[in-house]
Amino acid sequence: MKSSGTEYCNIIQRWLKIADKGRLMHSYIISGRNEVDRRDFLIHFVARIIYRCNKSRSIEVLERMLLEGNYADFHFFDPAGVRNFKSEQIADLQSMISKAPVEMSYKFFVINRADRMNAEAQNRLLKTLEEPPGEAIIFLLTDRSAGLKRTIRSRCSNIQLGEDIVLNRDEEISDLVDFLRLNKFFYKCKNELRKFGKSRDDAEALLDRIEDELRRRLYEGEYSTGLLREINAVEKTRQAIRQNMYVDYAYGILILEFGGIND
């Protein structure tokens, strides 16, 4: 990879720290840099997950097996069409993902150039992301994550490869998250959320910012069942808004899921 050795090691260690404590998500988007770097990063990461589950092979051997396509539970999908994925490819993934792993680890499914999935393929994949099997991890590799539906992006953890990994702190939203955690008074919290807007568009933009902040905290080492519940709360609130619930009521869902009391 073109990244420096120290920087690359730090990126790997951040991911492994998450993996060490059982923080693996069901789906990830790996974006940025170039296709070779994204694939190289993926191989290093997956090999280490496997090694932590089963040390019968060295990391070096596992990396070679993954690169050569000789690991039974590693499935790599490239676009089969001239430009795009075919919906049938995602159907094949869905069929394979429901089967038990062959090895003593997870099953890994990689969709390379994921932004080339057309609407039908993305809708198929979304159904799997909504109810992911416990033993499978899906990776979406892309240099254009904006080409993925927001509903897909919201269900994946995101890692951006570059000269450095910077997970920017949004001071305003960080303060809001702390406020929601510490202040249990329902209407006081609702009034604070209203300051960011009362329209559906404003509410969705706010939820995106809150989710980014929560995932930043996860990547930087914070971990608790409460944090995972909060990430899920953002998605529940987002879905409520998309189902035409009044924004005020949807904010109520978020507050209660954060531990607020309906006073």
Side-chain angles (χ1 to χ4, degrees):
M1 291 182 64
K2 296 177 182 178
S3 304
S4 70
T6 300
E7 173 202 341
Y8 184 65
C9 180
N10 288 338
I11 295 169
I12 288 288
Q13 289 305 315
R14 177 175 291 170
W15 281 64
L16 291 182
K17 184 177 180 181
I18 292 172
D20 284 344
K21 296 185 179 181
R23 301 177 192 172
L24 288 172
M25 299 297 186
H26 287 295
S27 52
Y28 294 87
I29 295 173
I30 300 178
S31 59
R33 301 287 291 181
N34 58 55
E35 187 170 338
V36 173
D37 285 351
R38 292 192 294 271
R39 191 176 303 201
D40 189 39
F41 180 91
L42 172 78
I43 294 297
H44 284 286
F45 177 56
V46 169
R48 283 155 176 77
I49 294 177
I50 298 170
Y51 182 73
R52 290 181 183 279
C53 296
N54 180 3
K55 293 182 169 58
S56 62
R57 303 184 183 99
S58 70
I59 291 175
E60 291 75 16
V61 168
L62 288 168
E63 288 177 348
R64 186 167 63 252
M65 292 176 69
L66 293 169
L67 281 169
E68 295 173 353
N70 290 328
Y71 188 80
D73 292 316
F74 185 74
H75 307 281
F76 199 95
F77 292 83
D78 264 317
V82 175
R83 292 184 57 84
N84 299 321
F85 276 87
K86 295 181 178 178
S87 181
E88 290 83 356
Q89 288 181 273
I90 307 303
D92 289 342
L93 182 153
Q94 290 173 317
S95 174
M96 297 164 65
I97 208 169
S98 62
K99 299 175 182 177
V102 175
E103 302 276 354
M104 295 172 60
S105 180
Y106 295 87
K107 294 172 293 182
F108 303 94
F109 295 86
V110 184
I111 301 178
N112 192 33
R113 304 177 189 175
D115 53 279
R116 296 192 182 185
M117 286 187 291
N118 59 25
E120 184 180 358
Q122 291 198 41
N123 287 335
R124 275 187 178 273
L125 178 64
L126 185 58
K127 292 179 181 178
T128 298
L129 296 179
E130 288 172 342
E131 298 180 4
E135 297 173 315
I137 302 177
I138 299 172
F139 295 92
L140 308 180
L141 276 56
T142 179
D143 61 358
R144 198 174 65 87
S145 57
L148 298 170
K149 289 178 177 289
R150 176 184 284 186
T151 45
I152 287 180
R153 298 199 306 269
S154 70
R155 286 170 171 78
C156 299
S157 292
N158 298 283
I159 190 74
Q160 172 77 31
L161 298 182
E163 291 306 314
D164 195 7
I165 297 298
V166 179
L167 298 169
N168 293 317
R169 176 187 171 98
D170 185 330
E171 295 290 346
E172 185 179 39
I173 296 301
S174 183
D175 289 345
L176 175 64
V177 168
D178 291 337
F179 182 86
L180 292 173
R181 287 179 170 182
L182 296 173
N183 198 311
K184 303 303 181 184
F185 294 105
F186 185 86
Y187 288 102
K188 191 172 183 179
C189 290
K190 185 173 283 190
N191 286 335
E192 198 66 24
L193 291 169
R194 285 170 175 159
K195 293 178 183 178
F196 291 86
K198 299 179 182 179
S199 72
R200 296 183 190 280
D201 288 344
D202 288 341
E204 287 211 44
L206 173 59
L207 292 171
D208 287 346
R209 291 173 69 191
I210 292 174
E211 183 173 4
D212 287 345
E213 170 61 19
L214 295 173
R215 293 194 184 280
R216 180 190 70 80
R217 296 185 184 202
L218 178 66
Y219 291 141
E220 293 188 351
E222 179 182 334
Y223 181 75
S224 68
T225 55
L227 177 59
L228 299 180
R229 185 186 68 244
E230 290 163 0
I231 292 173
N232 289 331
V234 171
E235 180 58 23
K236 287 175 66 175
T237 307
R238 186 183 285 120
Q239 290 301 318
I241 290 172
R242 290 173 182 170
Q243 291 167 7
N244 294 320
M245 179 180 284
Y246 287 121
V247 169
D248 248 19
Y249 293 161
Y251 282 160
I253 293 174
L254 187 69
I255 294 164
L256 293 174
E257 291 288 337
F258 263 74
I261 300 170
N262 195 343
D263 55 350

